[in-house]
Amino acid sequence: MDKIVIRGGRPLQGEIAVSGAKNAALPLMAAALLTEQTVRLGNLPHLVDIATLANLLTRLGAELHLNGQCAPDGHDGRVLEICARRIASHVAPYDLVRKMRASVLVLGPLLAREGRAEVSLPGGCAIGTRPIDLHLEGFKRLGAEIELDGGYVKATAPNGLKGGEIVFPKVSVGATENLMMAASLAEGETLLVNAAREPEIVDLANLLCAMGADIEGAGSEQICIRGVSALHGAEHTVIPDRIEAGTYAMAAAATDGDLHLLGARADHLAALSELLTKAGVTLEETNRGLRVRRANGRLVGTDAMTEAFPGFPTDLQAQYMALMTTAEGAAMVTETIFENRFMHVPELCRMGAEIVVHGASALIRGKPTLKGAPVMATDLRASSCLVLAGLVAEGETELNRVYHLDRGYERLEAKLAACGADIRRVREA
Ligand code: EPZ
């Protein structure tokens, strides 16, 4: 298994091109199952999770063509054409769903187009139990019958789905996406109430509308979808990855560097920007993206709480904690989205951080520096948190289980090394 070895203490300087957003690209790819025609997605990031979903779509009968490679600076992304002319299988098998929970996003499109789908029930994962009850209750409201059998969700709607009002008891990105896709081909009107408002939801709605769907309100708490009888092919460019951009913004701040994040969108990062400003970091919008550096050399401990968009994202919580480990004073970080997303804390403590966890909150007392150590990542964002800690720490940090990083960060070590980081991947058989 590969490792990443970092020698910390170098300020990051230069430009980083932000890749296409993983969490936008995955539902966009699933949406291609809604039509017999070709959906062309540009700015697709080169990531393991994308390959996993591509594999699943192929097994379901879609034909995929990848045009063009990543540009040397990673800026142009890739272009993927997906044509699901015929659905050959209705089953998302356990071996793929267990690798990536976002596989459940094929449920809505298959059910809406084919009237049936079987998807392995994803188990818990490193950040929490992560049920899919909100997805399933939503499909039931649209008239589907749901059965659980042998670890699989079997959903059927032999007479097609019928529009209805779905009030989500809790905000869910995935359930909003799945229901928005399913409702696009349902008969009549569907109203999603207490919908997620993430930029990835808006990106999906934009693709669906380009495919002929009738959707209003994406980006707000209520989304109205008027079902149509068929969708057609379309072309779409994936939005930039706000979590990747936010991670590098904090890498600039943590190392007292100066990074220009090309393509980063300030409107997707408003909560992070507000928080970092309080912590002594400047995020300046330029005509090419965002420039990030400390305002006056100091980092100040600042409390943060994760929330659904437009709040501070849970996917940046771990990286923010790494930033706070060397800030002046203390910071309280509260996680409200997932119940178990502090697995990076013991690893940060092994690097000399002072962090105490009380339930859903962690109190971080800033130290002048961290010390490099061998560390192990448990999930994607915990991995990037440990990379940030390694960039700051004195001496060498060896990050194991790098495969988590490869699921969600395109060429992370190359992008950081180009800005002066002493970071390398050690390939092991
Ligand atoms: C998406 O996951 C992202 N994944 C996650 O990114 C992200 O952390 C999360 O949204 C929150 O922003 C993708 O977009 C592919 P949710 P999702 O449904 O859709 C509970 C990363 O690192 N819930 O919004 O699965 C759930 O347990 C990842 O890139 C239910 O109770 O998240 C959680 O506590 C990891 N029942 C909360 O809602 C359900 O049916 C929010 O989850 C669904 C969710």
Side-chain angles (χ1 to χ4, degrees):
M1 262 189 275
D2 293 0
K3 296 187 225 184
I4 283 187
V5 179
I6 307 168
R7 292 195 71 81
R10 292 169 162 226
L12 297 175
Q13 311 270 358
E15 296 181 342
I16 294 184
V18 178
S19 298
K22 166 181 83 83
N23 289 347
L26 295 170
L28 296 172
M29 289 169 69
L33 291 173
L34 287 162
T35 174
E36 295 172 1
Q37 298 180 7
T38 300
V39 170
R40 193 163 193 264
L41 299 175
N43 197 31
L44 201 80
H46 182 32
L47 298 169
V48 171
D49 273 8
I50 300 291
T52 304
L53 186 57
N55 190 357
L56 173 57
L57 296 182
T58 307
R59 286 215 214 167
L60 298 176
E63 282 178 26
L64 274 66
H65 293 284
L66 196 56
N67 300 319
Q69 294 295 312
C70 231
D73 68 352
H75 199 49
D76 291 343
R78 295 176 153 199
V79 178
L80 179 68
E81 285 176 357
I82 306 169
C83 181
R85 190 166 295 118
R86 205 175 61 83
I87 301 293
S89 159
H90 299 86
V91 185
Y94 177 66
D95 62 318
L96 288 178
V97 180
R98 108 189 131 77
K99 274 195 199 152
M100 190 186 62
R101 303 176 51 85
S103 308
V104 300
L105 291 172
V106 303
L107 193 49
L110 285 180
L111 185 59
R113 179 168 158 191
E114 296 283 303
R116 66 192 169 107
E118 285 183 33
V119 173
S120 169
L121 198 60
C125 74
I127 60 177
T129 48
R130 302 184 75 186
I132 57 162
D133 55 318
L134 301 175
H135 304 234
L136 302 184
E137 287 307 315
F139 293 134
K140 282 190 202 163
R141 288 283 300 149
L142 300 187
E145 285 184 17
I146 308 280
E147 217 187 294
L148 291 182
D149 186 14
Y152 278 74
V153 173
K154 296 189 175 171
T156 47
N159 301 318
L161 295 171
K162 303 238 169 357
E165 183 172 305
I166 297 167
V167 182
F168 293 114
K170 187 174 187 178
V171 176
S172 161
V173 175
T176 303
E177 291 166 345
N178 232 340
L179 269 305
M180 201 162 66
M181 291 189 278
S184 295
L185 285 184
E187 190 188 318
E189 189 173 298
T190 298
L191 189 65
L192 304 181
V193 180
N194 198 25
R197 292 186 276 165
E198 270 69 3
E200 293 75 17
I201 303 284
V202 178
D203 206 33
L204 176 61
N206 287 343
L207 170 68
L208 292 170
C209 289
M211 292 166 71
D214 182 352
I215 300 176
E216 261 175 53
S220 77
E221 282 166 16
Q222 288 207 14
I223 307 179
C224 176
I225 305 128
R226 285 175 213 93
V228 295
S229 54
L231 294 173
H232 51 74
E235 279 193 31
H236 182 82
T237 303
V238 180
I239 53 169
D241 195 317
R242 63 194 168 98
I243 305 302
E244 188 198 23
T247 302
Y248 293 134
M250 289 192 270
T255 60
D256 198 5
D258 184 348
L259 285 182
H260 196 176
L261 305 174
L262 307 182
R265 281 181 52 172
D267 58 329
H268 292 173
L269 288 163
L272 177 70
S273 177
E274 196 182 314
L275 188 59
L276 290 186
T277 305
K278 285 191 201 151
V281 182
T282 303
L283 281 90
E284 180 196 334
E285 200 172 350
T286 71
N287 55 8
R288 296 168 72 211
L290 280 176
R291 183 175 169 200
V292 188
R293 58 200 190 283
R294 291 189 191 175
N296 57 16
R298 296 170 58 220
L299 270 181
V300 185
T302 306
D303 297 350
M305 190 193 296
T306 63
E307 282 168 316
F309 193 85
F312 176 64
T314 173
D315 290 346
L316 288 175
Q317 178 260 106
Q319 303 88 314
Y320 182 73
M321 212 187 274
L323 179 67
M324 288 294 107
T325 57
T326 57
E328 287 174 23
M332 177 84 90
V333 173
T334 304
E335 170 61 52
T336 72
I337 307 292
F338 291 109
E339 69 268 30
N340 193 24
R341 215 171 192 182
F342 282 147
M343 302 285 274
H344 42 283
V345 169
E347 299 299 304
L348 287 173
C349 291
R350 297 186 60 252
M351 298 177 72
E354 202 180 319
I355 307 175
V356 189
V357 175
H358 298 282
S361 295
L363 181 68
I364 305 129
R365 291 197 177 83
K367 305 275 276 269
T369 189
L370 298 177
K371 291 215 160 52
V375 287
M376 190 125 72
T378 44
D379 76 87
L380 169 58
R381 310 302 170 187
S383 309
S384 55
C385 151
L386 296 172
V387 169
L388 259 58
L391 291 171
V392 174
E394 284 171 1
E396 193 169 279
T397 296
E398 186 186 286
L399 176 67
N400 294 287
R401 300 201 181 160
V402 168
Y403 56 85
H404 289 297
L405 269 181
D406 295 335
R407 292 184 57 180
Y409 288 91
E410 186 173 271
R411 303 183 312 111
L412 170 126
E413 67 275 21
K415 289 187 181 188
L416 289 173
C419 294
D422 184 345
I423 181 169
R424 68 196 155 89
R425 181 181 290 245
V426 180
R427 296 199 184 270
E428 287 186 359

